[in-house]
Amino acid sequence: HYKIDGFRFDLAGIFDWEFVDILTNHLKAIHPECLLIAEPWGGEYKPEGYSKRGWSAWNDRIRNTYKGYDPEHHKGIIFGVWPENLHRYSLENIIRGTLDREEHGLFKLSSHSINYLESHDGYTLGDFIRLVLRSESIEAPLLEEQRERIHKLGAFLLTVSQGVMMIHAGQEWSRSKKTRVETTGEWFLNHDSYNLDDETNYLNFNEIDLNKELHEYHKALIDIRLNNKALRSSAPECIHFKVYHDPLHITFSIDGESVSSPYDYFISINCNRNTDHEIILPEGVWDILISDTIQKTPKSIQNSYMVQKSTGILLRRLRDTSN
């Protein structure tokens, strides 16, 4: 009656499979295209089991690898840190969709992977960045240049990772969850604001102008992703990683043929905070779709390009289909 598209279940790790199967069959009988999304932990950790049943699930491996889960003790690659126990092939599989047939995989299909960097739980991405890159004072939501660059890098990584991109409300302008301590009047960045009905959890859209470039950058990324299917649902065998000496420099190409795209793509992400890296491009003329800035006027390059520290570049080339 209400035309609901689907349901997202909190702490779905507590459900037993008999209940999940009954629920799935019941909902699919009403609406065969019903979207079912699990937060696949709490009790047990079982994203693979949900994927086998056709559900999507939150991908905490992307969150932990790209951003990290603790600003003090566990930072992700956007901060120029290689996470402990992360193998290069695991990172490649995460970008391909975190598929269960490869290292550290979780999902049968990349479309089951809900990729995210922040949610209603925990710090916002902006606050996580503010805590990692501490200064004498934490100004929120206004971002300094380095913080904005890392925020963009996180958004870029999400955009070029196979699966479903989830953006938490306010993430696109680096919303902060600041909470005032009543007794002292001081502010702190809140990571667990579930029980507050105050400005901590409010969305103040007037703040967009403080980080307007970041907001526009997110809009551009969303538009690019919507109009380039290869960035979200390519066959894993069409994604080819390049040899690189710095593990924080991640470079790969996507053959758009698997999604009937006339384009091929070349993507280079430099998570190193201290060093720029040169890339050698395959033959042909490559159009820059986006780098660390929005391409307001079309620009093409060939041969090579210097990827600046803490930035990424997304290139596209029309494929020769004459043969």
Side-chain angles (χ1 to χ4, degrees), residues 166-225:
M166 183 180 93
I167 300 176
H168 186 221
Q171 180 178 330
E172 67 273 29
W173 73 81
S174 194
R175 167 182 168 246
S176 175
K177 290 199 294 188
K178 293 195 306 181
T179 299
R180 187 189 297 273
V181 181
E182 289 187 13
T183 54
T184 64
E186 296 180 346
W187 295 89
F188 72 97
L189 302 181
N190 198 321
H191 75 285
D192 193 21
S193 60
Y194 75 97
N195 61 341
L196 298 179
D197 183 17
D198 60 20
E199 58 194 5
T200 304
N201 290 323
Y202 297 168
L203 292 173
N204 182 354
F205 294 97
N206 294 323
E207 293 175 349
I208 290 175
D209 286 340
L210 295 174
N211 296 312
K212 191 169 184 179
E213 184 175 336
L214 180 65
H215 181 255
E216 294 298 319
Y217 190 76
H218 275 83
K219 288 169 62 177
L221 288 174
I222 291 169
D223 185 63
I224 288 169
R225 202 169 201 268

Side-chain angles (χ1 to χ4, degrees), residues 11 32-33 46 67 103 117-118 126 146 148 152 154 176 184 208 214 241 244 248-249 266 272 298 300 305-306 316:
L11 298 177
E33 302 304 317
K46 45 191 183 185
K67 182 194 73 176
E103 288 197 36
L117 296 178
E118 71 167 76
Q146 188 181 27
E148 182 180 272
K152 285 181 174 180
S176 175
T184 64
I208 290 175
L214 180 65
F241 285 82
Y244 43 84
L248 292 168
H249 181 207
F266 196 86
N272 194 309
S300 299
Y305 183 85
M306 188 67 72
R316 185 177 72 177

